[in-house]
């Protein structure tokens, strides 16, 4: 049976463990929803731990990974075929409902509330913000939201600062690399401390942006000197 980490993707082993732990623990009533499945690495982690997942990904070949923003149908179709094959190989195909749509078009495809939301779809500011607002609203009090590329991607980070930093709705729990975990607040206390915790992540964010700029400029050795893992293509 295929292990999730054998599937192409960007989730690190430590991040997969955090995702697994969040999905396996006792949660309030509600669905487990993933935005951005790619070839199924995180989907397999969630399905194995939670038992059932609604996976939303248009597989349009757009907003697919670093520098892959424009849609390209053949790329998306290849992802879709790999996704289905990987779910079958991992033995979780019957635990996943795939909604092949953009997240903004899929709100009506999930009925009821959400207990765990994993956000790893389009990383540009507008769609990332829309995911946090429109899908985040569906998460029940005490529920969990996990966001990949937090304090790493510029669009995702700005969206988190706008929507989550010091908000009434979200308590920042912490992060594993760029995987940030939030809890939907039951009470509104601790917001100032929460804002400060977001601001405290900004030096790490600046480091990640600098690493990306150096990698894109062909200066990988310099990027490694300021913290890029030599075995990783990009800071995750
Ligand atoms: C970074 S990859 C996801 C990686 C995946 N979570 C994993 O563990 O390998 C981003 C995915 O988001 C999808 N995507 C892009 N825009 C989207 C949107 N508006 N709604 C949902 N998914 C989207 C892309 O098709 C792509 O497969």
């Amino acid at each position: 049976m295929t292990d999730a980490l054998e599937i192409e993707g960007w989730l690190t082993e430590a991040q997969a463990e955090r995702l697994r732990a969040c999905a396996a623990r006792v949660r309030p009533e509600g669905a487990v929803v993933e935005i951005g499945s790619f070839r199924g690495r995180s989907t397999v982690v969630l399905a194995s731990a939670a038992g059932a997942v609604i996976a939303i990904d248009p597989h349009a070949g757009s907003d697919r990974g670093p520098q892959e923003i424009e849609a390209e149908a053949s790329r998306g179709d290849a992802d879709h075929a790999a996704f289905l094959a990987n779910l079958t190989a991992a033995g979780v195909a019957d635990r996943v409902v795939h909604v092949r749509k953009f997240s903004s078009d899929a709100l009506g495809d999930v009925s009821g509330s959400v207990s765990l939301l994993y956000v790893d779809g389009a990383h540009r500011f507008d769609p990332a913000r829309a995911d946090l607002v429109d899908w985040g609203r569906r998460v029940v009090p005490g529920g969990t939201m996990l966001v990949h590329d937090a304090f790493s991607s510029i669009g995702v980070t700005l969206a988190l600062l706008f929507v989550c930093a010091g908000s009434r709705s979200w308590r920042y729990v912490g992060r594993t690399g760029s995987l940030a975990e939030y809890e939907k607040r039951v009470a509104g206390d601790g917001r100032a401390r929460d804002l400060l915790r977001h601001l405290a992540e900004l030096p790490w964010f600046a480091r990640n942006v600098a690493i990306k700029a150096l990698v894109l400029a062909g200066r990988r050795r310099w990027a490694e000197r300021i913290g890029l893992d030599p075995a990783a293509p990009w800071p995750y």
Side-chain angles (χ1 to χ4, degrees):
M1 206 171 278
T2 303
D3 181 76
L5 291 166
E6 291 171 33
I7 297 171
E8 194 186 335
W10 297 274
L11 194 74
T12 67
E13 189 172 350
Q15 292 169 347
E17 180 47 35
R18 184 166 204 148
L19 200 56
R20 191 204 63 72
C22 289
R25 71 189 176 209
V26 178
R27 284 173 282 104
E29 195 77 5
V32 173
V33 174
E34 170 183 77
I35 298 174
S37 308
F38 186 50
R39 297 191 164 201
R41 181 182 281 201
S42 50
T43 322
V44 168
V45 172
L46 289 170
S48 305
V53 181
I54 300 170
I56 301 167
D57 193 313
H59 285 145
S62 57
D63 285 302
R64 184 174 175 270
Q67 315 301 307
E68 296 177 348
I69 304 300
E70 297 304 321
E72 194 183 304
S74 60
R75 194 160 68 181
D77 288 342
D79 289 344
H80 185 63
F83 172 71
L84 296 179
N86 287 333
L87 296 188
T88 301
V92 299
D94 60 347
R95 299 180 180 197
V96 178
V97 173
H98 180 211
V99 179
R100 193 173 179 179
K101 292 182 180 178
F102 290 97
S103 52
S104 54
D105 297 331
L107 284 153
D109 288 78
V110 177
S111 58
S113 54
V114 173
S115 65
L116 188 152
L117 175 65
Y118 177 50
V119 181
D120 192 15
H123 287 29
R124 291 170 293 111
F125 174 74
D126 282 337
R129 181 178 164 281
D131 284 341
L132 299 178
V133 172
D134 298 338
W135 281 96
R137 187 180 292 136
R138 305 276 294 268
V139 177
V140 288
T144 299
M145 176 169 76
L146 293 132
V147 184
H148 199 244
D149 292 300
F151 312 112
S152 172
S153 148
I154 293 173
V156 174
T157 304
L158 288 178
L160 283 173
L161 293 176
F162 265 73
V163 177
C164 297
S167 88
R168 277 179 207 287
S169 301
W170 296 107
R171 183 177 76 81
Y172 179 44
V173 178
R175 64 176 172 83
T176 301
S178 74
L179 180 68
E181 179 183 340
Y182 291 85
E183 183 192 43
K184 190 68 161 291
R185 287 185 189 281
V186 179
D189 55 333
R191 287 170 60 195
R193 189 188 57 209
D194 207 62
L195 175 61
L196 291 177
R197 291 193 68 205
H198 280 82
L199 297 179
E201 298 291 13
L202 294 184
W204 192 74
F205 169 59
R207 184 207 81 141
N208 288 331
V209 173
I211 286 175
K212 289 182 177 184
L214 289 171
V215 170
L216 292 175
R219 302 287 182 185
R220 226 194 123 78
R221 296 293 283 270
W222 293 9
E224 287 175 10
R225 268 190 222 148
I226 62 166
L228 176 65
D229 176 354
W234 205 239
Y236 296 114

